[in-house]
């Protein structure tokens, strides 16, 4: 049986990662979306254990001490981390894993799992990113400015990623992500291993 792959999706806050990944999961129900832990407050409609594991800072530090994270990072004043256990369980079952994580976390994962595939999701323009962040209505104007500043820094690292997807329409972005995942499973090494195992 094939082993699953890790697909890292990064991109500015508000670009539409959650929206696009939700639609991708409908198209590829076998994908495993890794639920991160965070110390930030839940937004309206966010459910503990579904969108994030919402932890206080002490518990987050305990998880770090117990080596529970594949990676973790600080982002605009809060901690975020990927619990390791479920990622490995899913991969061992042959499922592809999606990590929606920022750039510091992406670097850590690639240091540990060199075959992880990195995909950067960008907005069609900067004014459109600001419009999406404002329209989402979940962050104060001050937080939006912090996230936009951070986005400009993150954008400079995009050339280190394997793929670059522009989220102009959700449909297009999903189609490209789907195509990337299919192509990544057509590499000679994986295909030859399948043939040789028969
Ligand atoms: P992220 O997870 O990257 O922070 P979200 O998925 O929460 O971003 O999306 C931010 C806002 O942008 C939401 O209000 C969402 O409905 C909207 N959005 C997402 N993708 C698109 C798109 N392709 N076109 C227009 N609006 C979008
Ligand atoms: P938000 O607060 O908008 O949900 O997420 C803020 C940022 O944190 C986004 O860039 C998102 O990709 C990132 N993020 C979410 N979960 C994790 C995680 O487990 N690890 C890291 N490093 N970043 C994460």
């Amino acid at each position: 049986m094939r082993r699953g792959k890790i697909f890292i999706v990064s991109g500015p806050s508000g670009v539409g990662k959650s929206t696009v990944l939700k639609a991708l999961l409908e198209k590829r129900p076998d994908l495993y979306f890794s639920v991160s832990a965070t110390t930030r407050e839940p937004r309206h409609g966010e459910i503990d254990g579904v969108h994030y594991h919402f932890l206080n800072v002490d518990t987050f530090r305990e998880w770090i001490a117990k080596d529970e994270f594949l990676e973790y990072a600080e982002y605009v004043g809060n901690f975020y981390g990927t619990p390791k256990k479920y990622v490995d369980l899913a991969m061992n079952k042959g499922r592809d894993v999606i990590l929606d994580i920022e750039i510091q976390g992406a670097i850590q994962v690639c240091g540990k799992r060199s075959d992880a595939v990195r995909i950067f999701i960008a907005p069609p323009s900067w004014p459109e990113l600001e419009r999406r962040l404002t329209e989402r209505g979940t962050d104060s104007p001050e937080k939006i400015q912090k996230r936009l500043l951070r986005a400009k820094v993150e954008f400079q690292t995009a050339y280190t990623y394997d793929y670059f997807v522009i989220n102009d329409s959700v449909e297009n972005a999903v189609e490209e992500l789907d195509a990337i995942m299919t192509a990544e499973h057509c590499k000679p090494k994986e295909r030859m291993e399948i043939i040789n195992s028969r």
Side-chain angles (χ1 to χ4, degrees):
M1 191 180 65
R2 76 164 206 198
R3 191 170 146 78
K5 268 186 188 297
I6 294 184
F7 292 88
I8 298 172
V9 172
S10 303
S13 177
V15 69
K17 298 181 297 298
S18 310
T19 308
V20 167
L21 293 180
K22 191 165 173 266
L24 180 70
L25 280 158
E26 280 163 22
K27 194 165 182 181
R28 285 184 172 251
D30 198 42
L31 265 181
Y32 173 74
F33 176 78
S34 163
V35 179
S36 295
T38 184
T39 59
R40 88 150 159 71
E41 290 295 311
R43 291 180 185 136
H44 182 70
E46 282 184 333
I47 302 163
D48 188 32
V50 175
H51 299 95
Y52 280 105
H53 300 288
F54 293 100
L55 309 181
N56 61 38
V57 176
D58 287 344
T59 310
F60 198 96
R61 289 193 198 284
E62 268 171 39
W63 285 33
I64 295 172
K66 287 196 267 172
D67 194 25
E68 303 266 11
F69 291 119
L70 175 59
E71 61 73 35
Y72 66 91
E74 187 267 336
Y75 176 91
V76 195
N78 286 112
F79 286 117
Y80 294 81
T82 304
K84 195 162 39 179
K85 184 165 72 181
Y86 301 108
V87 169
D88 288 334
L89 274 176
M91 285 176 75
N92 290 338
K93 286 185 183 155
R95 294 174 73 183
D96 288 333
V97 173
I98 287 269
L99 306 183
D100 170 352
I101 63 176
E102 52 68 70
I103 52 176
Q104 304 167 81
I107 293 167
Q108 291 173 47
V109 173
C110 290
K112 292 177 183 168
R113 314 281 173 101
S114 58
D115 55 347
V117 180
R118 288 154 298 166
I119 306 165
F120 195 88
I121 302 203
S125 68
W126 291 111
E128 174 61 9
L129 178 63
E130 187 162 3
R131 193 196 66 76
R132 286 183 193 174
L133 270 170
T134 309
E135 198 156 275
R136 187 168 67 184
T138 53
D139 298 285
S140 63
E142 188 202 341
K143 280 226 162 117
I144 288 178
Q145 287 313 313
K146 278 191 179 164
R147 283 172 182 251
L148 282 171
L149 266 179
R150 182 72 168 235
K152 300 243 165 164
V153 175
E154 289 181 339
F155 195 71
Q156 301 307 317
T157 70
Y159 69 89
T160 65
Y161 279 64
D162 300 308
Y163 296 97
F164 191 99
V165 170
I166 298 174
N167 178 21
D168 42 12
S169 80
V170 174
E171 225 177 31
N172 285 346
V174 169
E175 195 180 306
E176 290 193 359
L177 286 171
D178 189 39
I180 290 166
M181 299 186 112
T182 301
E184 281 293 328
H185 282 292
C186 297
K187 295 281 171 81
K189 185 171 177 283
E190 180 176 323
R191 288 283 151 101
M192 284 160 88
E193 274 171 13
I194 292 172
I195 290 173
N196 288 333
S197 70
R198 285 180 180 147

